[in-house]
Amino acid sequence: MKIRFYHWYNMLLSAMLTWLGFGSCTDTGPDEYGPAPMYGTLPYANYHISGTVTDESGQPLKGIRVSMLNAYAKDLPATDMTHTDADGHFSMKDFSTDYISDRMLVTEDIDGPDNGGNFASDTTMIEKFNIKHIDDSNYSDRYEVDAEVKLKKKD
């Protein structure tokens, strides 16, 4: 009888602690998916992404639209968008996400032959680029992403 009582008591206690959120407490530290969660907060990280868009020969492309999309909800609008400058550079400041693995960088030639060719769009998962850890704090980490994209001409 005593064993049966402790069995049900432990199950009830585990369910209550899970319901209250104690299941996400961990002391393992950051892992490949981002920072470890703090109790009472959602894990997230701030990212600054910058890079260059070039053609296959390495010439910078001006006016290429660069946008950030959620890979698992492609019908949602872009979380951030910019265009490349005359040197092919782009920069998107401080976007936050819980996991970088669900974001992708989409590059699109929106002006056609005005920039020297008609280029095919490219989609690359953000985790494929060079990601550098910059700062560690109690509630979030800061990262810089260096994205170099080469676009191919449409046939």
Side-chain angles (χ1 to χ4, degrees), residues 6 35 43 47 49 52 58 70 74 125 130 135 147 150-151 154:
Y6 283 123
Y47 292 87
I49 183 166
T52 307
N70 187 325
K74 295 177 185 166
M125 297 301 291
N130 183 24
D135 185 27
K150 289 188 183 280
L151 295 182
K154 288 183 182 178

Side-chain angles (χ1 to χ4, degrees), residues 3-152:
I3 294 173
R4 179 180 262 173
F5 170 76
Y6 283 123
H7 174 76
W8 286 106
Y9 176 77
N10 286 339
M11 286 182 58
L12 179 64
L13 185 59
S14 296
M16 290 292 289
L17 289 176
T18 301
W19 181 71
L20 291 172
F22 286 98
S24 67
C25 293
T26 179
D27 61 353
T28 59
D31 60 12
E32 64 190 275
Y33 302 108
M38 300 291 289
Y39 177 71
T41 64
L42 292 174
Y44 71 95
N46 289 320
Y47 292 87
H48 173 88
I49 183 166
S50 61
T52 307
V53 179
T54 60
D55 63 8
E56 292 177 298
S57 66
Q59 295 299 315
L61 297 175
K62 177 185 176 184
I64 300 294
R65 180 170 49 197
V66 182
S67 54
M68 185 79 54
L69 293 176
N70 187 325
Y72 303 109
K74 295 177 185 166
D75 55 335
L76 292 176
T79 55
D80 202 357
M81 185 183 326
T82 188
H83 293 83
T84 57
D85 62 14
D87 296 324
H89 295 292
F90 69 92
S91 178
M92 287 186 255
K93 303 259 185 198
D94 296 333
F95 68 93
S96 297
T97 186
D98 47 357
Y99 297 109
I100 194 65
S101 61
D102 65 354
R103 296 290 187 258
M104 58 186 181
L105 189 71
V106 179
T107 51
E108 301 170 283
D109 182 8
I110 57 173
D111 62 3
D114 291 345
N115 57 8
N118 199 7
F119 295 93
S121 298
D122 183 61
T123 302
T124 308
M125 297 301 291
I126 294 295
E127 62 189 4
K128 303 285 185 194
F129 295 117
N130 183 24
I131 301 174
K132 182 179 173 187
H133 186 248
I134 300 299
D135 185 27
D136 192 10
S137 70
N138 290 339
Y139 297 104
S140 70
D141 286 343
R142 291 184 49 78
Y143 295 89
E144 284 185 0
V145 180
D146 183 26
E148 302 299 322
V149 179
K150 289 188 183 280
L151 295 182
K152 296 179 182 179

